[in-house]
Amino acid sequence: MSERTEATAGHRAQRGEGMNERRHAVVLGAGIAGLLAARVLSEHYARVTIFDRDMVAGTATRRGVPQARHLHGLLDRGRTIIEQLYPGFTSEMADRGATTAEALVGTRWYVGGLRAAPTPTGLTSVIATRPLLEEVLRQRTLATPGVRLCEGMARGLIGDAARVRAVSVSGGYGAEAHATDLVVDATGRGSRASVWLAALGARIPLEERLEVDLGYTSGFFRWRPGQLGGQSSVIISTGRNGRGGGAIRVEGDRWHITLAGMLGDHPPTDPDGFAEFAATIAAPDIHELITTSEPLDELVPHRFRAPVRRRFERLSTVPQGFLVLGDALCSFNPLYAQGMAVAAQQALVLRDCLRAGSEAGLPARFYSAAGKVVDVAWQLAAGADLSHPGVIGSRTTRTRLTNAYVARAHRAAHIDPQVARTFLRVANLVEPPAALLHPLIAGRILLRGNTKPAAVAERTPILIEPAR
């Protein structure tokens, strides 16, 4: 029996234990968070219905996910969770044309303008386009007993401030109410959960946001053997000028290249302007790929104004029968590639909460545990955003000290493989930020990150009128 067949058989056995066959869960949104949530819910509910307005088969870009045309990164913590939920996921992605590589061995990372020292990290990068990743997860999820995908757009919740009992969904058939024991909102950063809850007379969460006004432009280019020294990707974090980018080798022997700029300084969408913008980021690798590779399509832009965190964990009361997760709970600055990994972590939290007890009090238990997961990624991302002087936000003494320490860690990672390994494992959410404060690592950071390496100089920026 194959690993995948064993997992399916075990899943069926688990679902059969004490399950009420009348129970029904509804998931709103068929993106990464929604699919992972549906997979977890299928262990506890006889029926799981996913509603999404986009009924897309194959690897076409869904209308509701415009950012799917841009570079996506799956952090290793997210990959290992998905592998746990869908055994064989990594090898299946490779069979479908994705590239797999060990981070810092088969890939390059630049932080603070410096390349992190190449060294084994134990981190596996699955490098692919968002549509391929989504298709593989969609196929595996819909192969799970009891799960189905239907076309429809959520219009509101039905119930009261104490409990949600149904959800109103519209589609080609008109609007219908679907009775359910649990509604999970995975509709993304545009979630209307607060509007729906207010209509029921329920409390709504406070929001935290940081205005970063990020813009990015992406395109596909022909991959040729030997480029980038045979490595599969290069990530160049935003420098002092707020510009950065990434290039990854994806299915179809293509480079997927994204350039990014913060605070309104967005990359142009014409080929010459795109190449000139690439020449201003902190390392030359991406510029070289752009100028030596054949473009395969038109360049496309996207704008991201602000990461938003909705503080459901701080509400004194929340309705039973309704949960919010994924980007609907917290959407991160996409520069840090945390969204899919944190959605996977929330799926595990949901699984643990469902296994631990009855549905009574489930939302409060979930938000409390999910809040701790979100805290780690939010603090990492917010700290990085606030290192840019133009980003408006509160900079406490702790924030300033942390950013100064991180800058030293960047410099140390350039020359110290052990610091580079630890830094990347923290960035991949595999180890906690406290790993960088371990006495052995802290000593290396303080010693070797004290001065800027003489070999590294700031690149002279080319002044370009930002595309609007």
Side-chain angles (χ1 to χ4, degrees):
M1 183 181 291
S2 70
E3 181 182 26
R4 182 170 171 178
T5 304
E6 288 178 347
T8 301
H11 178 249
R12 285 173 175 161
Q14 185 178 36
R15 292 176 73 250
E17 294 178 0
M19 172 172 286
N20 182 344
E21 290 299 325
R22 294 174 296 177
R23 301 180 76 199
H24 180 213
V26 168
V27 177
L28 306 176
I32 303 298
L35 294 171
L36 297 179
R39 166 63 184 84
V40 167
L41 291 168
S42 70
E43 298 176 1
H44 299 271
Y45 292 81
R47 293 186 297 128
V48 179
T49 305
I50 309 170
F51 285 104
D52 198 287
R53 66 180 183 180
D54 297 326
M55 295 297 286
V56 174
T59 56
T61 299
R62 296 195 295 123
R63 181 168 57 94
V65 192
Q67 68 271 28
R69 298 178 296 175
H70 304 273
L71 187 153
H72 276 63
L74 177 61
L75 300 181
D76 194 58
R77 178 59 176 146
R79 182 196 66 82
T80 57
I81 293 173
I82 293 174
E83 186 72 35
Q84 179 180 343
L85 296 174
Y86 306 87
F89 162 78
T90 303
S91 59
E92 183 174 354
M93 287 293 292
D95 291 342
R96 296 287 299 271
T99 302
T100 59
E102 183 174 1
L104 290 189
V105 175
T107 70
R108 299 181 185 182
W109 289 69
Y110 289 83
V111 289
L114 305 166
R115 181 178 173 182
T119 187
T121 58
L123 305 172
T124 299
S125 297
V126 174
I127 305 169
T129 61
R130 164 71 179 259
L132 175 61
L133 174 63
E134 204 169 272
E135 184 195 19
V136 169
L137 292 182
R138 182 169 57 243
Q139 289 176 345
R140 293 289 296 270
T141 303
L142 295 181
T144 304
V147 179
R148 64 172 182 154
L149 172 63
C150 299
E151 182 179 6
M153 179 181 293
R155 295 299 185 185
L157 304 173
I158 298 172
D160 52 40
R163 182 168 187 86
V164 171
R165 297 179 177 83
V167 58
S168 176
V169 179
S170 65
Y173 46 77
E176 290 184 354
H178 295 266
T180 177
D181 299 282
L182 179 66
V183 178
V184 174
D185 178 8
T187 56
R189 58 180 288 102
S191 166
R192 293 181 57 78
S194 291
V195 174
W196 298 339
L197 291 172
L200 298 181
R203 296 177 181 273
I204 62 174
L206 295 175
E207 292 187 355
E208 293 180 13
R209 57 192 297 130
L210 284 173
E211 298 292 336
V212 297
D213 195 6
L214 174 71
Y216 39 102
T217 298
S218 301
F220 290 97
F221 295 77
R222 181 74 64 196
W223 171 87
R224 291 185 291 103
Q227 289 182 302
L228 204 64
Q231 294 181 305
S232 301
S233 74
V234 54
I235 303 298
I236 303 172
S237 63
T238 52
R240 293 180 181 177
N241 60 3
R243 297 180 176 188
I248 61 176
R249 182 190 171 189
V250 298
E251 63 274 13
D253 286 337
R254 298 172 295 168
W255 289 113
H256 195 182
I257 298 179
T258 293
L259 299 180
M262 295 179 64
L263 300 171
D265 179 27
H266 300 164
T269 56
D270 65 284
D272 289 341
F274 189 70
E276 291 173 351
F277 191 97
T280 70
I281 62 180
D285 307 50
I286 296 176
H287 180 259
E288 182 177 345
L289 289 176
I290 292 171
T291 55
T292 60
S293 303
E294 174 193 356
L296 298 176
D297 61 359
E298 293 185 353
L299 299 167
V300 292
H302 186 71
R303 190 173 188 177
F304 178 92
R305 293 187 179 275
V308 177
R309 182 175 184 181
R310 298 180 173 101
R311 289 286 193 169
F312 279 91
E313 78 277 13
R314 294 181 176 176
L315 293 177
S316 58
T317 59
V318 290
Q320 301 301 301
F322 180 67
L323 292 178
V324 177
L325 55 70
D327 279 1
L329 184 64
C330 182
S331 64
F332 298 92
N333 185 331
L335 287 175
Y336 313 120
Q338 297 169 316
M340 293 189 291
V342 176
Q345 289 179 302
Q346 291 173 28
L348 279 195
V349 167
L350 176 58
R351 188 190 220 184
D352 291 343
C353 289
L354 288 168
R355 288 177 173 178
S358 66
E359 286 183 348
L362 173 63
R365 296 199 310 272
F366 171 78
Y367 291 133
S368 176
K372 296 179 177 64
V373 166
V374 172
D375 275 342
V376 174
W378 181 259
Q379 289 170 10
L380 287 171
D385 285 337
L386 290 170
S387 69
H388 297 278
V391 175
I392 298 174
S394 174
R395 290 171 175 81
T396 63
T397 300
R398 180 178 177 178
T399 301
R400 294 186 178 91
L401 290 174
T402 298
N403 282 338
Y405 186 76
V406 169
R408 294 180 79 156
H410 290 166
R411 295 193 290 270
H414 175 60
I415 57 177
D416 188 320
Q418 192 167 341
V419 174
R421 180 183 187 276
T422 303
F423 182 85
L424 210 64
R425 290 178 66 83
V426 170
N428 272 263
L429 305 179
V430 172
E431 294 191 28
L436 289 168
L437 298 175
H438 186 280
L440 294 178
I441 298 299
R444 290 172 175 267
I445 290 172
L446 295 175
L447 176 65
R448 299 179 179 179
N450 190 41
T451 58
K452 185 173 181 179
V456 178
E458 290 292 327
R459 303 184 73 200
T460 303
I462 300 172
L463 297 179
I464 303 172
E465 181 67 23
R468 300 296 182 185

